[in-house]
Amino acid sequence: MKQTEELNTLIEGFRESPSSRAPLRAELDSRSGYHIVQIESIPDYGPILEEVSLGVGDVVNNLRCSLDHLAWQYACAHAQGIPSKPKNVYFILCNAATGQQHKAPGIFATAAWSRMHEYQPCRGINGRPDGWTGPYIHQLELLTDLSNSDKHQMLVHVELQANQFETIPTRIGLPSWVRRTESGDFDFLPDRVGDPDPGAERLDFSHSSHRMESGEEVVRIFAPLWGQQAEIEHAGSAVPYFALPEGRPVVPTLQRITEFVAMLTDDLQRNCP
């Protein structure tokens, strides 16, 4: 968890730096009236991507090794010494899709394997607390995929997406439910939330690729304040977002796996000392 927190500090520090922002430009689509906002150019993200990839790999491999070390201890306890086939000792993944390893592997005591098996992907979500919001993938399967890729193929693939941006002013005036006071503060008027808001901008993300690359579309904006201006060179900037394969957020994904591994090891140590 400490490594993950340090990685998060690195990522957020980079995201907050003005030098990490990619400038945006906007071109008017005369048929729809929307301005198409695109990334004009991107900074050199190579060094930070490599640093984050290495950081992810450190966390993933430490977690995977901790499970293998745990399996080794239980195998030694069952064998009452060094197991006869040391290379066959590792934390086994009982995969639901392939049907592998549903039987006790024989290198652990029955009670130890029974506890390990309760945490396997073949057992499903198991009703355990899990705040994961994306398509469900079991923590051990995710850990194994990331670990195998990092060890045998290449650094964990980390990509940048444009999921946060800011622009020059786009709307005319304030909505009817916000009022500026004489002191310069703002009052919220909840009873007027449903009133018409003719000066508001409209956002369309349906064409966005979310890729942090030059020329990629970020959003389409119907901006009353921009009027019929055909081209706006400095329309704003985009902030990079670090993601793992399939768009999984880096830090929450690592936290999710870490918490699961901690829960598993704590349970085994309590119930099968």
Side-chain angles (χ1 to χ4, degrees):
M1 290 302 290
K2 182 180 179 182
Q3 284 182 300
T4 302
E5 290 168 4
E6 291 172 350
L7 188 61
N8 186 57
T9 299
L10 171 68
I11 289 173
E12 291 307 313
F14 177 78
R15 280 167 48 85
E16 292 171 2
S17 171
S19 62
S20 72
R21 294 174 175 265
L24 302 177
R25 65 192 304 273
E27 295 181 357
L28 178 64
D29 176 22
S30 57
R31 291 179 299 176
S32 67
Y34 279 76
H35 278 84
I36 301 174
V37 180
Q38 297 172 306
I39 296 175
E40 184 171 16
S41 62
I42 58 171
D44 180 11
Y45 290 133
I48 186 66
L49 280 172
E50 183 175 352
E51 193 168 358
V52 172
S53 294
L54 288 168
V56 172
D58 285 343
V59 174
V60 165
N61 287 314
N62 282 340
L63 289 171
R64 178 68 221 190
C65 287
S66 72
L67 291 177
D68 289 339
H69 291 170
L70 186 71
W72 175 258
Q73 293 178 54
Y74 282 111
C76 288
H78 184 54
Q80 297 184 337
I82 301 299
S84 59
K85 296 181 179 180
K87 291 185 178 180
N88 291 344
V89 178
Y90 56 92
F91 191 91
I92 294 168
L93 183 69
C94 188
N95 191 295
T98 62
Q100 294 175 336
Q101 294 295 345
H102 282 283
K103 296 180 180 180
I107 58 176
F108 309 119
T110 301
W113 170 247
S114 178
R115 300 304 299 185
M116 291 182 191
H117 195 240
E118 284 300 312
Y119 288 87
Q120 293 290 335
C122 67
R123 307 294 287 176
I125 300 176
N126 284 336
R128 293 191 171 95
D130 191 341
W132 190 243
T133 57
Y136 187 78
I137 178 172
H138 195 278
Q139 292 93 324
L140 291 182
E141 288 183 312
L142 183 54
L143 174 59
T144 301
D145 288 347
L146 291 172
S147 176
N148 287 345
S149 174
D150 188 73
K151 284 194 299 184
H152 304 302
Q153 298 172 3
M154 57 183 291
L155 290 178
V156 173
H157 177 66
V158 176
E159 62 184 32
L160 292 177
Q161 299 179 354
N163 80 326
Q164 183 180 339
F165 67 95
E166 59 183 23
T167 68
I168 58 177
T170 56
R171 62 170 296 135
I172 298 174
L174 295 170
S176 55
W177 51 89
V178 177
R179 178 178 59 194
R180 187 189 296 271
T181 64
E182 294 181 359
S183 62
D185 295 329
F186 296 96
D187 282 342
F188 175 58
L189 309 175
D191 56 321
R192 301 193 60 184
V193 167
D195 289 1
D197 186 16
E201 76 279 75
R202 297 196 294 271
L203 306 180
D204 177 8
F205 293 96
S206 62
H207 304 276
S208 176
S209 69
H210 299 291
R211 287 195 294 266
M212 198 74 173
E213 297 176 8
S214 180
E216 293 296 327
E217 181 175 324
V218 175
V219 66
R220 298 187 180 192
I221 304 180
F222 184 86
L225 200 58
W226 295 358
Q228 295 298 306
Q229 190 167 347
E231 189 172 314
I232 303 174
E233 287 292 336
H234 303 290
S237 61
V239 181
Y241 165 81
F242 292 78
L244 294 171
E246 298 186 19
R248 300 185 187 100
V250 169
V251 172
T253 299
L254 295 180
Q255 289 174 332
R256 174 178 182 253
I257 299 173
T258 302
E259 289 167 1
F260 188 85
V261 171
M263 180 170 58
L264 185 159
T265 54
D266 288 347
D267 184 9
L268 278 165
Q269 289 169 3
R270 282 196 312 270
N271 293 286
C272 301

